[in-house]
Amino acid sequence: MSGRLACKRTPVAVLIAVSLILVSFPGPLFAQGEDERPRFSFDGHFRLRGEADGRTAGSKPDYGVLSRVRLGVKADLLDWLDVYAQIQDARIWGTETNPLTDGSADNLDMHQIYADLGRGSAFKARFGRQIMALADERLIGAVEWVNTGLVFDGVRLMGEANGITWTAFAMNIFERDDVLSVGLNPQTNQGIYDDGWLIGGFATTEFGGTTTELTAAYDRDALTDHSYTLNLRAHGRSGDILYEGAGAYQFGPDRSAFFGSGRVGLAIGRGSIAAQLDYLSGNSETDTDKVKAFNTLYATNHKFYGYMDYFLFIPQQLDGAGLVDAMLRASYKTSASTTARVDLHRFATAHERTTLQTPDGAKGLGTELDLVGRWTVAAPATLDAGIGIFVPDDLATGLLPAFADGKKTTWWAFVQFFIKYP
C-alpha cells in the first residue's frame, strides 16, 4: 500500500451525496409494497478498539483508542439499478486540535458510493468508490484492521457462469493531472503525467472439494512501475486434513519476482493445528540488473505476517531482501461463544543483509508470538482481545526502525468491541 492512496474527502461531499440519494426519488421514503420502488435498506457497524503499544524498543509504551462508525444505505431503484452509499467516521481519540473549537469532523468521509447495474449472480457492473477484497487478500484486500480501511475508485464487472465466479476491474489509484472544469482553461491540462491504475481480474471455482482461485493484476505506475502479477491459490479439506497452496509470479520491465505459500493442518475435535511457510523473493546485496523483490501490492498483510505489523510494506521495509515466514498456528473453540488462537512466527529475510550489527551477513529477523481470542457477547456483538511479543535478532536492529535503539523484546496488546447490523 502507499500513502498516495489517500485522498481528501470532506463532510460537505458526504452531505451532498446523501442528500442527493434521499431527495432524488418521488414518493415515500419507505415503499410499502414488494414491487414498489424505490426501496431502501440500511446497514452499519460500530467498532471500538483500545491499544497498548510497546512495539518500539527503548521507548515508553503508548496507549490509544480508535473508533469507527459506518452507516450505509442501499436504494433499489429499478429492476437493473441499485445505488449504495456508506458514510464512515474513523478516528483516533484525542487527535482534534481543540476539543472545544475543532468542529471540522476531519475524519468523516464517504467510504463507499457506487451504482450497480444488473441484478442477480449472472452479471453486474459496479461504478464508483468501493471495497474490493479478492481471494484471501494476499494481493488486493480491504485492509479492515486499519481504522480507515482501503477502498478503490473505478469500475468492476462481476458474474457467475458454469460454476465459475469471476470479476474484472479497472481502478484509478493516482490521478496525476489536474482535471479542470469545462471552459475554465482545459488546455492547461496537458496529460504529461501517467496516471496510476490497477487493472485485472479474478476467477474462482470448486472442483472435487478443492477451491481454486486465479488473480491477475496489472499495476500501472501506481505502487510499482508497470508490474504484472499472476497468483494461483488452491485450498480445501479432506477429512480432518486442511490444506492450502499458493504461488505468484510478478514481472514487468526489469522485474522478476515470486511468492510461494504452503499450509497443512489437522482438525482435532473443537480445535485445529497447522504449519505454514511463506516465501517472498528478494534481491541480494549484489543484484543490480532486475527488481527481484516481490511486492504485495494492496494486500491485507496484517492477516499473514504477524499481528504486530512489522511487515506491512513489503518489500520497502526490508531493503528489498524478501521475507521468509515459518508459522505454527493452533486454535481451539473453548465454548459455544469463545475461541482462542496462538500464532508463532519465525521471520527471516530471503537474502542476507550486512549491517553494523551483522557485518558477516545475516537473515534472521526475529520471533513473534501472538495470542488472540474472541467472545461472541450476544449476536451480532463480539469482543476480541490479543497480545503479541516480538524477540528480535541482530539483523532487525539494522533493518527495522522500531529496533534502532537496540535488540530488545517488544510487545503490543489490544481489546476490541465490534457490533454489526444486519
Side-chain angles (χ1 to χ4, degrees):
M1 298 184 306
S2 167
R4 295 182 295 180
L5 286 171
C7 57
K8 189 171 181 63
R9 290 168 275 183
T10 66
V12 175
V14 174
L15 295 175
I16 291 174
V18 174
S19 299
L20 288 175
I21 291 174
L22 295 179
V23 305
S24 297
F25 315 118
L29 182 61
F30 298 98
Q32 301 299 315
E34 180 64 26
D35 295 329
E36 295 182 41
R37 287 187 173 86
R39 292 196 297 264
F40 292 85
S41 58
F42 296 86
D43 64 81
H45 78 230
F46 170 72
R47 189 175 80 177
L48 182 67
R49 184 166 78 230
E51 295 189 17
D53 189 350
R55 290 176 291 184
T56 303
S59 298
K60 293 182 179 180
D62 187 30
Y63 303 91
V65 178
L66 302 87
S67 64
R68 185 171 79 190
V69 180
R70 287 180 183 170
L71 176 63
V73 56
K74 178 182 177 182
D76 179 354
L77 305 181
L78 302 169
D79 286 339
W80 49 270
L81 176 62
D82 294 334
V83 174
Y84 180 77
Q86 184 183 61
I87 299 173
Q88 171 177 277
D89 181 272
R91 64 182 59 245
I92 301 173
W93 288 12
T95 55
E96 296 86 353
T97 56
N98 187 304
L100 177 64
T101 62
D102 185 355
S104 59
D106 296 331
N107 301 288
L108 182 69
D109 73 3
M110 184 63 74
H111 190 61
Q112 295 189 85
I113 181 163
Y114 58 78
D116 279 344
L117 278 66
R119 195 179 297 277
S121 60
F123 177 80
K124 183 183 294 183
R126 178 168 294 174
F127 301 85
R129 170 164 292 160
Q130 57 196 273
I131 291 174
M132 187 169 62
L134 302 182
D136 59 349
E137 305 185 43
R138 284 278 191 181
L139 293 175
I140 301 170
V143 197
E144 288 287 12
W145 178 259
V146 174
N147 213 33
T148 53
L150 176 59
V151 289
F152 298 90
D153 296 333
V155 180
R156 185 178 177 189
L157 308 179
M158 298 168 280
E160 183 178 342
N162 301 319
I164 299 175
T165 302
W166 61 271
T167 185
F169 52 87
M171 301 294 168
N172 190 348
I173 304 298
F174 197 155
E175 175 59 55
R176 289 185 168 88
D177 284 300
D178 293 331
V179 179
L180 305 177
S181 302
V182 174
L184 184 62
N185 191 9
Q187 65 268 25
T188 62
N189 184 14
Q190 301 297 318
I192 59 176
Y193 302 107
D194 288 335
D195 294 337
W197 286 83
L198 176 65
I199 301 169
F202 169 79
T204 180
T205 189
E206 185 176 339
F207 180 77
T210 299
T211 300
T212 303
E213 301 162 345
L214 177 64
T215 305
Y218 168 42
D219 190 68
R220 180 187 183 275
D221 204 26
L223 290 186
T224 66
D225 297 328
H226 298 270
S227 70
Y228 302 83
T229 307
L230 296 175
N231 180 63
L232 179 64
R233 175 178 179 242
H235 59 97
R237 177 170 180 166
S238 177
D240 291 334
I241 304 298
L242 312 171
Y243 58 89
E244 177 182 340
Y249 179 58
Q250 196 167 74
F251 59 98
D254 300 321
R255 179 182 297 272
S256 178
F258 66 92
F259 155 83
S261 175
R263 176 173 62 89
V264 61
L266 178 65
I268 308 172
R270 295 192 297 179
S272 65
I273 186 169
Q276 181 167 325
L277 180 65
D278 291 352
Y279 185 95
L280 287 74
S281 68
N283 285 81
S284 70
E285 291 183 309
T286 59
D287 284 333
T288 57
D289 57 336
K290 282 188 176 183
V291 175
K292 298 178 182 178
F294 188 84
N295 192 305
T296 56
L297 297 178
Y298 308 90
T300 305
N301 285 334
H302 175 82
K303 293 173 57 176
F304 303 105
Y305 309 119
Y307 274 21
M308 293 180 70
D309 290 338
Y310 286 119
F311 310 106
L312 286 183
F313 301 96
I314 303 171
Q316 298 93 326
Q317 286 176 303
L318 298 172
D319 189 36
L323 180 67
V324 180
D325 177 14
M327 181 182 71
L328 291 175
R329 167 172 290 178
S331 63
Y332 186 72
K333 192 172 181 63
T334 57
S335 71
S337 60
T338 57
T339 303
R341 193 178 79 235
V342 178
D343 293 348
L344 180 64
H345 296 265
R346 176 58 185 169
F347 295 108
T349 55
H351 291 272
E352 288 187 347
R353 281 297 184 267
T354 301
T355 68
L356 291 176
Q357 297 78 13
T358 58
D360 297 325
K363 291 184 177 180
L365 290 168
T367 302
E368 179 174 334
L369 175 67
D370 296 324
L371 173 62
V372 295
R374 169 166 292 182
W375 173 36
T376 302
V377 181
T382 58
L383 184 68
D384 297 302
I387 185 169
I389 298 173
F390 193 95
V391 181
D393 291 348
D394 289 337
L395 183 59
T397 63
L399 285 186
L400 301 178
F403 298 98
D405 196 49
K407 185 181 172 182
K408 301 175 182 178
T409 299
T410 56
W411 62 274
W412 167 85
F414 80 98
V415 176
Q416 176 173 283
F417 177 75
F418 184 77
I419 185 167
K420 182 179 181 181
Y421 173 83

